[in-house]
Amino acid sequence: ASDAAAILKRFPLIDSTEVYRLNDLSKDQVAQLNPITGKALLAVYTLEQASADPQKAAALSQQTGMDLTKIPAGTDVFALLKQLPPAQLQSITGAVNTAFAKMDSRVITQAANAAVKAEYSALGANPQKTQTNYILRVGGIMLLLTLLVVFCTIIISYLSARTGAGVARDLRRDIFKKVSSFSKAEFETFSTASLITRSTNDVTQVQMITTMMMRMVFFAPIMAIGAIIRAVQTSPSMTWIIAVGVAALLVMVVVLFTITLPRFNLMQKLGDRLNLVTRESLSGLMVIRAFNTQGFELDRFDKANVDLTKNSLFVGRVMTILFPFMTLVMSGLSLLVIWVGSKQVAASTIQVGDMMAFLQYAMQVVFSFLMISMMFIFLPRAAISGRRIDEVLRVEPVIKDPVEPKSFDTNSRGLVEFRNVSFRYPNAEENVICNVNFTAKPGETTAIIGSTGSGKSTLINLIPRFFDATEGAIYVDGRDVREVTQEDLRERI
């Protein structure tokens, strides 16, 4: 009784005729029944419209071969069809089935909606109100999803920026800590200018790529996969268009990657060179003025600056090709979708709405692959910067503290002894000093005299362990300098 009252309230014009009510069905059952019932409803509705409208009757007559224009208005077309000879009825049925065979099942279902709407109107329902309520409900859901996307975008931007800044902070700290432990041998491997560049510009590149990866790399594949699935569901026959657009974009990215990768590597080296020249010129400015070599230093700086500028301009010009090419691909893809889709709309295989939806999905797929491609463009430079940072962090200092350090004798203060000390620089063929023996006592003056390059500075650098002796041993206050920590040794010196 309650169901009957609800039905009468919704359909007030129901009379004593039989009314069929659809049972609860699964989505698969509904998808299976829609084309079948759609064909029946569409055929009935078309015949009813033809019997009421002469123009529609003339159009239907051309498709079926039966002149429906001569049928008087109000005639029961279905009763008339029953009176036709079997051969003519079979011919009409074949023509209708042929027309349906050319139509996609979704087109049939959508076209049959007009018949359903007419039936609801005949029963006193208000389809317009139902449609409006549906639009408001779906629109509200879409608005909520949009607000959710905005909120997620803000959170992702915040987290990616925070993560990138944190990575940069940790890298700068680790680099500084590692460089602080370098001996003179390591400083001869990395120039001061290079270490400055690696601690600033290279870390910035890694920070930028970390932020971009969190914002793009994790988002773009999800959007691309979702758009591809929806595009295939909307129009499987046009998915080849997406493949063409993506292939063209990937070819362009590979070409750009091949051209720009060596240039990115060269850019970092040229940046090191520019920093080196700038640092040397500024630190030795008084000497440069004293010897009147400002012109020579200006030429040095100008060459380093111009080399870096030319390389940066080349990379920039190559990269600018990507954006016009992207616009060309997306515009061409849109034209191709509309051109192919319009033919399918004319053939009643898809609806105009499906074509426009496919166009949007195709743009999302291309845009997703574009974001991924941009990552592959910026990634080589960041990879080079990361490798340069890793080179610093992986350096194992030659001068190391002992595993079990010993302490100095508190009773002695200022005694230095060299016992058969020889030293050879790394990768050198001969020793700089050989078998040096002497004792420098507290309260006495010990002079080390020799010509330029004879090893005076080298001899002094061995005492605080800026280098370790190749042979022999050096004692400070009766303790071998290699048996104590560098901090204790240098504090005592």
Side-chain angles (χ1 to χ4, degrees), residues 156-193:
I156 290 173
S157 299
Y158 171 76
L159 293 177
S160 60
R162 187 178 179 86
T163 303
V167 169
R169 175 201 62 207
D170 294 343
L171 284 177
R172 283 192 292 267
R173 180 193 61 204
D174 294 341
I175 292 174
F176 185 81
K177 184 178 179 181
K178 175 64 72 171
V179 171
S180 299
S181 67
F182 279 2
S183 64
K184 293 198 66 172
E186 283 79 43
F187 276 113
E188 291 178 358
T189 303
F190 301 98
S191 66
T192 304

Side-chain angles (χ1 to χ4, degrees), residues 14-25:
I14 290 180
D15 53 16
S16 57
T17 58
E18 293 181 347
V19 176
Y20 295 92
R21 185 179 179 189
L22 183 64
N23 295 324
D24 293 332
L25 300 176

Side-chain angles (χ1 to χ4, degrees), residues 15 19 38 42 47-48 158 167 179 183 190 209 221 223 231-232 332 361 363 367 374 378 382 414 430 440 454 470:
D15 53 16
V19 176
L42 189 57
L47 289 174
E48 290 177 347
Y158 171 76
V167 169
V179 171
S183 64
F190 301 98
I209 203 68
M223 186 171 72
V232 172
Y361 296 140
M363 293 299 102
F367 188 71
M374 291 297 296
F378 290 108
E430 297 181 0
S454 61
T470 306

Side-chain angles (χ1 to χ4, degrees), residues 193-194 197 201 265-278 304 308 388:
S194 178
T197 305
N201 183 61
N265 193 11
L266 180 61
M267 187 181 297
Q268 302 301 101
K269 295 180 179 179
L270 293 176
D272 286 347
R273 175 64 182 171
L274 182 63
N275 286 338
L276 175 64
V277 173
T278 303
L308 179 59
R388 284 160 53 87

